[in-house]
Amino acid sequence: MAHGKDFESRGIEISGLTLNLEKMMSQKSGAVKALTGGIAHLFKQNKVTHVNGYGKVTGKNQVTATSADGSEQVINTKNILIATGSEVTPFPGIEIDEVNVVSSTGALSLSKVPGELLVIGAGVIGVELGSVWQRLGSKVTAVEFLGHVGGMGIDMEISKNFQRILQKQGMKFKLGTKVMGATKRPDGKIDVAVEAAAGGKNETLTCDVLLVCVGRRPFTKNLGLENVGLELDNRGRIPVNNRFQTKVPSIHAIGDVVAGPMLAHKAEDEGIICVEGMAGGAVHIDYNCVPSVIYTHPEVAWVGKTEEQLKEENVPYKVGKFPFAANSRAKTNNDTDGLVKILSHKETDRLLGSHILGTGAGDMINEAALAMEYGASCEDVARVCHAHPTVSEAFREANLAASFGKAINF
């Protein structure tokens, strides 16, 4: 903002601007410590016993926790819930040292801003971390095997607009490109061999730091699952029924170790309803109403169906769009990149999908998720009074366009 023309256009003049990365990292670490410490407080407050150690299933009603000093504690229980999350997916032939060749973990703790950062993967994590370091001064190039940015599940029109905005900010993309390998040079730099995904001429890209972001995989190894006869599916996940029970009824699993998007809020909801189910309650979750967010600037958020999915499923639909360039709050903030795109059923007007590219998209998408959970029509949303001036008025206007064919303020 300060190096660009944003501050200057508002009459804010700055000279001698510098980055103290060590202090920035210290602030980040403080925030992480406060959040993790908050979990410990919640455990205590709710009388949850915290056993520190590596847990393994040693029976259908038993878990053994091994502490750092090698001592073991056997816990007998009525129910077991596996929620071990996921780990970074390694890239074959490229060894991560978390110094020059880093995963998303190492990318959060670099000691200096890389002169040139190469990112393998332009999915959610790749564009999030790439854009952070680009804003801090690094020259960032993302190499992506697919032909678009933003990963799986993103609407293609939104993806194209998103890529254009990131490129305008300074990020570079090599789409439809595969990485063949990486070699460290004597001068400390890294040569990365790439070629077109469809096959073609080899090219070498050089960087100071290589960030490997090719996804995450379920953390299901060495959990003792074989002790109770539990097998993984072909993607390393634990198969469960609609009550999150494995084939051993007393053992349940949720989150990244089961099917579905690897999202913290999806895992949280599964955890709640799974435990409610153990206590005899109803178990229900509509995965179509679980929102996804890419935390860049601007943000990208979506819930429900993409236009591509509706075409594939032969569902008749209408499209309503509203650009933030026509929104009062976005105009006054001088932050007008992006749009809201709404997909509705052509015959019933039911809201089928919401796609938002813009500042605050991650907050706005929750209104869409709520509307979809209640089976709202686009007219229902359009007739709800929205405060002015707010960016969420763009959501209302896009629903108006989907339902009535035209927005009011565009």
Side-chain angles (χ1 to χ4, degrees):
M1 289 175 79
H3 280 306
K5 294 182 178 177
D6 194 79
F7 276 5
E8 187 184 319
S9 68
R10 298 169 198 264
I12 302 170
E13 296 174 359
I14 295 175
S15 60
L17 184 73
T18 57
L19 167 70
N20 186 330
L21 185 61
E22 190 179 346
K23 201 165 188 178
M24 180 183 275
M25 289 294 181
S26 175
Q27 191 278 333
K28 177 213 70 172
S29 299
V32 171
K33 189 177 179 182
L35 289 167
T36 51
I39 299 293
H41 172 70
L42 287 170
F43 274 9
K44 192 175 180 181
Q45 192 179 358
N46 291 281
K47 297 177 182 174
V48 176
T49 303
H50 180 202
V51 177
N52 207 335
Y54 191 99
K56 283 183 80 169
V57 177
T58 45
K60 64 179 184 178
N61 297 103
Q62 189 183 83
V63 171
T64 300
T66 306
S67 63
D69 63 7
S71 60
E72 291 185 349
Q73 182 179 346
V74 177
I75 303 157
N76 294 305
T77 178
K78 183 179 177 184
N79 290 294
I80 296 169
L81 175 53
I82 299 169
T84 46
S86 58
E87 61 181 348
V88 171
T89 302
F91 192 97
I94 296 179
E95 191 177 336
I96 290 171
D97 59 17
E98 301 297 18
V99 180
N100 300 106
V101 181
V102 299
S103 67
S104 54
T105 306
L108 293 169
S109 305
L110 294 177
S111 58
K112 64 179 181 178
V113 177
E116 293 190 69
L117 173 68
L118 187 72
V119 185
I120 303 178
V124 174
I125 300 171
V127 292
E128 285 178 342
L129 290 171
S131 69
V132 165
W133 288 108
Q134 186 272 323
R135 288 199 298 276
L136 292 175
S138 185
K139 290 179 181 176
V140 179
T141 302
V143 179
E144 172 57 54
F145 185 81
L146 299 175
H148 69 273
V149 307
M152 305 299 289
I154 192 171
D155 183 271
M156 286 301 109
E157 182 181 7
I158 295 293
S159 176
K160 286 185 178 70
N161 279 280
F162 181 41
Q163 182 185 340
R164 191 158 51 239
I165 291 167
L166 291 177
Q167 285 175 168
K168 193 169 70 176
Q169 292 174 0
M171 275 188 78
K172 292 179 181 176
F173 295 96
K174 293 187 78 68
L175 305 179
T177 304
K178 60 183 175 183
V179 173
M180 308 304 291
T183 311
K184 286 186 183 178
R185 298 190 337 194
D187 63 1
K189 289 185 181 287
I190 301 161
D191 286 336
V192 182
V194 302
E195 70 173 42
K201 193 174 69 173
N202 257 22
E203 184 184 353
T204 300
L205 304 173
T206 303
C207 61
D208 298 293
V209 173
L210 177 62
L211 168 55
V212 180
C213 278
V214 292
R216 298 184 66 82
R217 63 183 183 185
F219 188 87
T220 48
K221 283 184 181 175
N222 202 27
L223 296 181
L225 303 181
E226 67 284 354
N227 295 333
V228 286
L230 291 181
E231 295 174 354
L232 305 175
D233 69 10
N234 61 354
R235 294 178 66 180
R237 302 173 302 194
I238 302 172
V240 291
N241 64 16
N242 59 6
R243 297 183 71 83
F244 301 101
Q245 291 172 302
T246 64
K247 69 178 185 180
V248 179
S250 59
I251 301 176
H252 305 68
I254 58 142
D256 290 0
V257 298
V258 301
M262 289 186 170
L263 300 168
H265 46 279
K266 172 257 197 188
E268 182 180 8
D269 275 23
E270 287 179 341
I272 292 167
I273 59 175
C274 175
V275 174
E276 285 180 343
M278 290 179 194
V283 177
H284 170 73
I285 183 169
D286 184 350
Y287 289 108
N288 191 50
C289 294
V290 174
S292 296
V293 184
I294 303 177
Y295 295 99
T296 45
H297 182 83
E299 292 177 348
V300 184
W302 66 88
V303 64
K305 302 288 187 181
T306 63
E307 191 167 355
E308 290 71 34
Q309 286 173 324
L310 293 177
K311 281 178 181 173
E312 193 179 323
E313 294 167 14
N314 291 316
V315 176
Y317 68 93
K318 291 189 293 182
V319 182
K321 300 176 196 173
F322 193 84
F324 284 109
N327 174 266
S328 303
R329 183 67 175 272
K331 288 284 275 186
T332 53
N333 287 347
N334 195 24
D335 200 2
T336 55
D337 281 334
L339 73 153
V340 180
K341 177 179 178 179
I342 296 297
L343 302 166
S344 68
H345 197 286
K346 194 172 186 178
E347 291 152 14
T348 65
D349 193 42
R350 184 171 182 150
L351 178 58
L352 300 177
S354 299
H355 306 271
I356 307 173
L357 166 61
T359 299
D363 292 308
M364 259 185 287
I365 202 66
N366 295 311
E367 182 181 355
L370 180 65
M372 286 181 60
E373 278 283 10
Y374 279 86
S377 67
C378 289
E379 183 181 356
D380 288 332
V381 176
R383 292 195 180 277
V384 173
C385 185
H386 285 60
H388 173 81
T390 58
V391 287
S392 60
E393 287 178 280
F395 180 71
R396 181 192 192 183
E397 292 270 13
N399 276 275
L400 195 61
S403 187
F404 296 97
K406 190 181 187 309
I408 289 174
N409 291 290
F410 181 63

